[in-house]
Amino acid sequence: MLRNSLFASGKLRKSLACVLARNLPRNNSTAPSLDAGTQKEVRHHENHASEWWNQNGTMGALHALNEIRIPIFRVPFIRDGIVSRGTVKPGYVNTTRVLRGQNILEVGCGGGLLTEQLARLGAQVTGIDLGEKLIEAARDHLNLSSPELATNVVYKMEPVDQHAKSNCECYDAVIVSEVLEHVDDKVALLEASVRTLKPGGSIFITTLNKTIPSWFGGVILSEYVLHLVPKGTHHWDKMISPLDVQRILDTMNCQTVLVNGSTYDFWSNTWRWINNTQMCYALQAVKQPLSESN
């Protein structure tokens, strides 16, 4: 259905590519130049850097989300998606080192919760974030609590468009988890993320849908009533539907292969898959080789 839409037409695909080329940041300095909105988002998350690894603190829901994304003892969304592409060596598939040999980028890694989980499954993971305090928290936890993962993890304070300049088509998978709902220019972020991805590699995205139930549950209840996450974490105008994400990725030659809905049960601090995407969703798309883009 998406490939028959106007958004997916060849002319608009080329037009969007031209727009992206003109509008992407041209910052050649080593320090990222951030707009006011991005600076506000970074400061908001940096204010909770010291709480990032506290399972009973303000990041409790984020810790619980790892249990659905990448648990160590049952089949996770990301691992399943990578295995389904046939790039995992057969000898690793049913082991706790299933992602060994996979080179993964996590965009917006925060304090490193998901980064370390992926590394524990054997992957080589690069985590990038714009928050200096967040990267410091991630490095501190790695060095003090998980030194055995030091050879599998690299953290960098770097925007993804800058990272893409020197890491074009380097990664087997790119993770953009709980990030899109904090970004104004989603097209630019996704375009840069896709540039770092090898043809045949997967981009995994988890975020909130832009629906009334999501706004009520993800903002009103979780932030102002139940205080599950800090106030001001989520913004309605920055949320995006899975259909719009698919349309954007389609123009970048990425075919969506899976969309799962999920929801958070606050009374048990657990996440679970559901049959609709009204609340939150997890999406996997695969970057097609250039020969298949025409």
Side-chain angles (χ1 to χ4, degrees), residues 19-263:
V19 172
L20 287 170
R22 291 196 301 267
N23 293 339
L24 283 177
R26 302 294 183 181
N27 182 18
N28 294 320
S29 64
T30 56
S33 178
L34 308 179
D35 58 59
T38 302
Q39 288 177 358
K40 183 178 179 180
E41 289 284 350
V42 171
R43 285 196 301 269
H44 174 84
H45 286 86
E46 281 191 316
N47 288 338
H48 304 280
S50 62
E51 283 281 295
W52 215 268
W53 284 92
N54 180 5
Q55 295 187 32
N56 299 315
T58 57
M59 296 298 155
L62 192 59
H63 280 272
L65 185 55
N66 270 356
E67 295 304 313
I68 196 171
R69 285 190 305 204
I70 196 80
I72 294 177
F73 300 112
R74 58 186 176 91
V75 181
F77 177 71
I78 294 173
R79 189 194 75 170
D80 254 8
I82 293 175
V83 170
S84 72
R85 304 312 306 164
T87 58
V88 174
K89 293 182 179 179
Y92 294 137
V93 171
N94 293 315
T95 72
T96 57
R97 307 292 288 174
V98 61
L99 296 183
R100 188 167 184 176
Q102 300 295 307
N103 194 17
I104 297 176
L105 173 67
E106 186 185 3
V107 179
C109 65
L113 296 183
L114 183 56
T115 316
E116 286 195 15
Q117 293 277 33
L118 292 166
R120 289 190 185 282
L121 293 180
Q124 295 294 134
V125 191
T126 299
I128 62 174
D129 202 283
L130 298 177
E132 182 178 3
K133 292 180 181 178
L134 296 175
I135 291 296
E136 288 177 357
R139 287 173 176 162
D140 287 346
H141 189 273
L142 180 69
N143 294 331
L144 296 174
S145 302
S146 305
E148 73 279 6
L149 300 178
T151 58
N152 289 67
V153 176
V154 174
Y155 288 118
K156 297 182 178 181
M157 191 185 75
E158 188 174 47
V160 64
D161 63 298
Q162 182 174 312
H163 189 78
K165 292 176 183 178
S166 54
N167 294 277
C168 183
E169 297 190 349
C170 283
Y171 295 100
D172 300 292
V174 177
I175 316 297
V176 184
S177 186
E178 319 314 309
V179 172
L180 284 186
E181 67 268 30
H182 305 294
V183 175
D184 289 317
D185 196 342
K186 297 171 184 13
V187 173
L189 182 137
L190 289 173
E191 191 276 340
S193 299
V194 168
R195 269 192 285 140
T196 71
L197 192 61
K198 297 176 183 177
S202 294
I203 181 168
F204 295 90
I205 296 168
T206 65
T207 188
L208 284 76
N209 199 349
K210 192 169 187 176
T211 62
I212 296 300
S214 180
W215 170 77
F216 182 74
V219 179
I220 302 302
L221 277 180
S222 65
E223 295 184 20
Y224 294 91
V225 178
L226 301 174
H227 307 292
L228 298 174
V229 294
K231 293 179 181 179
T233 297
H234 300 118
H235 309 280
W236 167 261
D237 59 327
K238 292 186 179 181
M239 296 178 187
I240 185 170
S241 73
L243 182 59
D244 284 340
V245 172
Q246 290 178 68
R247 286 169 170 165
I248 293 170
L249 290 173
D250 189 69
T251 67
M252 298 168 186
N253 200 32
C254 289
Q255 181 180 0
T256 299
V257 297
L258 185 63
V259 180
N260 280 349
S262 63
T263 189

